[in-house]
Structures are given as structure tokens and as C-alpha cells.
């Protein structure tokens, strides 16, 4: 995971539509990965699934969700940094297993 959603989120949903990896979900909603369904990672805020976020690598030059947010609630997460090669490999893995 390279980006995270902060407490500034107002749950407007704008970022969800921008994500090419289908990595953003509203609070309490189950997420999918590799053809399976998993419990929501947060019941309180819109959330990003770390295994599905590639910082948009493989689709766009910059993360698409960050500029879409009206409250600047999406930020790079310094606790979860990945190299461009790792992000590219994650994208290719998602292409294989399904998002
Ligand atoms: S950076 Fe890109 S892949 Fe990651 S959550 Fe935002 S839109 Fe989705
Ligand atoms: S665009 Fe920003 S405020 Fe809206 S749901 Fe996404 S993180 Fe929350």
C-alpha cells in the first residue's frame, strides 16, 4: 500500500470511481480480490486495500485518487513504501489473479 485515507475523509465516494485497481471501498463494504470476497477493512471510513493499490502504476503516471479528493484526505503512506518495480509486479499479479 502506498496511499492511505485519513480522518479528513467525508465519504463522498469520488475517489472510488477513479481507481483503476478497484482498490477503494466505502466503509463496511466487503472487498474482492482474486475472485474471493473479504470483510471490510474499516467500518468507519472509506478504505484502500493495500494488496490492490499500485499507486496507479501500470495505468497512470500519478495516483488518480489523490487529486479527486475534495478534502485532501488521501496521502502517500510512509509506512508502506514500495519500489516502482514492486508496484509493477503487483499490478501484473492483479492482472493474473483478478481484482
Ligand atoms: S493510488 Fe491509484 S491504485 Fe492506489 S488507491 Fe489510488 S487510484 Fe487506486
Ligand atoms: S474522495 Fe476523499 S473524501 Fe471522498 S471518499 Fe475518497 S477519500 Fe473520502
Amino acid at each position: 500500500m502506498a496511499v492511505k485515507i485519513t480522518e479528513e475523509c467525508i465519504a463522498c465516494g469520488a475517489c472510488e470511481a477513479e481507481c483503476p485497481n478497484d482498490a477503494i471501498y466505502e466503509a463496511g463494504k466487503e472487498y474482492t480480490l482474486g475472485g474471493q470476497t473479504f470483510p471490510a477493512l474499516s467500518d468507519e471510513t472509506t478504505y484502500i486495500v493495500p494488496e490492490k493499490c499500485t499507486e496507479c502504476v501500470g495505468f497512470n503516471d500519478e495516483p488518480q485518487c489523490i487529486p479527486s479528493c475534495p478534502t485532501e484526505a488521501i496521502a502517500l503512506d510512509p509506512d508502506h513504501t514500495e519500489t516502482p518495480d514492486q508496484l509493477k509486479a503487483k499490478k501484473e499479479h492483479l492482472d493474473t489473479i483478478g481484482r
Side-chain angles (χ1 to χ4, degrees):
M1 168 162 144
V3 302
K4 63 179 180 179
I5 292 178
T6 71
E7 59 190 18
E8 304 298 321
C9 175
I10 57 170
C12 72
C15 56
E16 292 175 43
E18 298 300 322
C19 183
N21 280 313
D22 188 27
I24 307 175
Y25 294 82
E26 64 186 63
K29 186 175 175 183
E30 296 176 326
Y31 72 91
T32 60
L33 177 60
Q36 297 185 64
T37 302
F38 298 92
L41 296 183
S42 174
D43 290 327
E44 275 132 43
T45 61
T46 302
Y47 68 91
I48 293 172
V49 180
E51 292 86 355
K52 298 181 77 171
C53 173
T54 66
E55 280 182 67
C56 289
V57 166
F59 297 97
N60 302 95
D61 292 336
E62 302 287 341
Q64 297 299 290
C65 54
I66 292 177
S68 77
C69 181
T71 61
E72 298 185 2
I74 308 176
L76 292 173
D77 184 353
D79 293 332
H80 295 88
T81 57
E82 294 164 290
T83 67
D85 282 347
Q86 287 173 320
L87 292 167
K88 188 173 172 218
K90 186 194 284 188
K91 189 265 183 188
E92 288 167 357
H93 180 62
L94 290 168
D95 287 345
T96 302
I97 67 169
R99 293 171 175 79

